[in-house]
Amino acid sequence: MTLLRVRGFDVHKGYLDPGRQAALIESLRPVLKAAPLYSPRVPGGGQMSVRMTSAGQFGWYSDAKGYRYAEAHPSGRVWPAIPAEVLAIWTELTGLERQPECCLLNYYGEGARMGLHQDKDEADFSYPVVSISLGDDGLFRIGNPTRGGKTESLWLSSGDVVVMGGEARLTYHGVDRIRFKSSRLLSKGGRINLTLRVVT
Ligand code: SIN
Ligand code: MN
């Protein structure tokens, strides 16, 4: 395990050993069953290549009307609870009493990507966002607090955990591509990224 600091993001390389990664995947199975992945539409009229779902009191949601947190899955059912295995990582790395209210699950299949963006739909930016990578490698790009300027990229591998907090809480970031089937954690390949956020 090594800790890198890239533009204010704490990148814990190899934070989760293979056993813990497998246990996390198991803990996500009931979440995916209760709240199946969907492909969010975006305000411009397009569709994201990443498929998503959430656990917790709130789920991050997007459609033609915009980005927001919603209290129910598109099916109308409330989101499943955030698994204890996931919450443990938040507590270990942030030391915070307060628990996250949203665990967004992003699934990157072959060819999926996520453009540079800020995480700014939450009420209080003094809380960090904790991001957990599982499965295939993803090329993570880190920009600046405002759009534009030079960026820096690094590969995130299964078991890496990134804490985006402090001055870097509103730094632009995205995923350019994944190396499909570079990991054997998910039998069908792909990358899962979990982000934990305090919403209210
Ligand atoms: C995100 O910014 O929501 C996802 C980041 C990632 O997939 O690593
Ligand atoms: Mn983000």
Side-chain angles (χ1 to χ4, degrees):
M1 195 183 97
T2 40
L3 173 61
L4 308 175
R5 199 131 214 277
V6 188
R7 299 194 177 194
F9 287 9
D10 285 333
V11 182
H12 299 264
K13 295 294 292 176
Y15 187 76
L16 304 165
D17 65 28
R20 232 177 145 187
Q21 294 171 37
L24 275 171
I25 295 298
E26 283 311 308
S27 79
L28 295 172
R29 287 190 202 286
V31 169
L32 288 160
K33 201 160 180 215
L37 294 169
Y38 54 90
S39 306
R41 303 210 155 264
V42 291
Q47 195 158 22
M48 295 180 75
S49 57
V50 173
R51 294 196 291 150
M52 294 182 177
T53 191
S54 293
Q57 193 184 339
F58 298 97
W60 189 84
Y61 191 71
S62 170
D63 62 15
K65 283 184 262 168
Y67 308 115
R68 60 196 175 275
Y69 281 98
E71 292 190 63
H73 182 269
S75 67
R77 290 192 298 268
V78 296
W79 305 100
I82 303 176
E85 291 84 344
V86 176
L87 291 174
I89 298 166
W90 169 273
T91 304
E92 286 165 21
L93 285 176
T94 69
L96 290 169
E97 201 77 47
R98 189 157 175 193
Q99 298 288 286
E101 296 159 311
C102 173
C103 172
L104 172 65
L105 186 159
N106 290 143
Y107 174 75
Y108 297 75
E110 193 170 11
R113 57 183 302 280
M114 187 178 289
L116 280 174
H117 65 277
Q118 294 171 296
D119 288 8
K120 58 172 184 192
D121 299 313
E122 302 75 28
D124 186 345
F125 301 132
S126 67
Y127 290 100
V129 172
V130 171
S131 159
I132 302 164
S133 292
L134 295 166
D136 291 341
D137 299 341
L139 186 58
F140 189 61
R141 187 194 288 266
I142 304 176
N144 301 287
T146 52
R147 203 171 261 294
K150 285 199 174 131
T151 64
E152 225 170 302
S153 297
L154 69 149
W155 284 97
L156 294 179
S157 306
S158 197
D160 293 352
V161 182
V162 182
V163 181
M164 313 190 271
E167 296 280 287
R169 176 62 179 75
L170 291 171
T171 291
Y172 276 83
H173 58 277
V175 174
D176 288 343
R177 61 193 165 91
I178 69 161
R179 276 188 193 125
F180 189 63
K181 294 224 163 155
S182 53
S183 157
R184 294 209 307 223
L185 186 67
L186 305 174
S187 55
K188 290 179 187 150
R191 172 174 187 262
I192 288 178
N193 175 263
L194 304 174
T195 42
L196 298 169
R197 304 115 183 267
V198 168
V199 174
T200 60

